[in-house]
């Protein structure tokens, strides 16, 4: 999870900068990338580390992690005046078409930072082996993100990602220390 969080943080920051975020806004997005899955500490290891498909009940338990994460960080980041970060953590699994969770938000009703984290999170996840599938190549993952533009992902975020995909590829390779 450390590798995943670092990738999400750096990819999200790069996308934010491409979209015109200030360095401070991009830095907050970077921090949100590190914290986006913190709620998984409230999910039993038997579910998180399960080999094979999850049951319906197990999947519903996993879907609680954004809400748990928002509850965990709220006292700290809320006190610092970063309420937007709480919303990013809470809504990073929303889908642009409204079929995500936990609130089923759609389109621009999803906080912008959460829409950015969604792309970064998905890219990193696709590049990693999972119990239910092998890792994709970088180019396969990019094609999947493009294919999901307008449904899972905000087309504006996907467009920004496409512009910087070579930079993102280099970032991921440097984090992992391998050619991909």
């Amino acid at each position: 999870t450390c590798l995943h969080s670092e990738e999400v943080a750096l990819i999200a920051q790069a996308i934010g900068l491409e979209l015109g975020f200030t360095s401070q806004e991009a830095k907050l997005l970077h921090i949100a990338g590190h914290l986006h899955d913190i709620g998984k500490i409230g999910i039993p290891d038997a579910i998180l580390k399960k080999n094979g498909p999850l049951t319906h009940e197990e999947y519903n338990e996993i879907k609680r992690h954004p809400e748990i994460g928002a509850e965990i960080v709220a006292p700290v980041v809320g006190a610092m005046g970063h309420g937007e970060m709480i919303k990013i953590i809470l809504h990073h699994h929303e889908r642009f078409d409204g079929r995500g969770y936990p609130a089923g938000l759609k389109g621009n009703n999803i906080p912008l930072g959460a829409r950015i984290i969604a792309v970064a999170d998905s890219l990193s996840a696709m590049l990693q082996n999972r119990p239910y599938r092998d890792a994709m190549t970088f180019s396969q993952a990019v094609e999947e993100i493009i294919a999901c533009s307008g449904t899972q992902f905000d087309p504006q975020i996907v467009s920004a990602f496409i512009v910087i995909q070579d930079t993102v590829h280099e970032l991921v390779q440097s984090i992992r220390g391998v050619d991909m």
Side-chain angles (χ1 to χ4, degrees), residues 47 54-64 101:
I47 295 173
L54 298 174
T55 66
H56 180 70
E57 292 78 20
E58 290 167 335
Y59 181 61
N60 282 338
E61 187 69 15
I62 287 278
K63 287 171 56 175
R64 292 182 53 239
Y101 62 89

Side-chain angles (χ1 to χ4, degrees), residues 87-151:
K87 292 176 189 174
I88 291 170
I89 293 166
L90 179 61
H91 296 295
H92 75 275
H93 279 291
E94 302 288 357
R95 289 175 46 118
F96 199 70
D97 62 9
R99 294 177 31 219
Y101 62 89
L105 299 180
K106 183 176 185 177
N108 292 333
N109 290 325
I110 304 166
L112 179 59
R115 287 180 271 149
I116 294 169
I117 295 287
V119 171
D121 185 27
S122 295
L123 176 67
S124 178
M126 287 186 272
L127 297 174
Q128 296 175 354
N129 286 320
R130 296 294 166 107
Y132 49 88
R133 63 150 179 79
D134 290 335
M136 293 181 183
T137 66
F138 189 84
S139 60
Q140 288 170 325
V142 169
E143 290 304 316
E144 184 66 19
I145 288 172
I146 292 168
C148 295
S149 179
T151 55

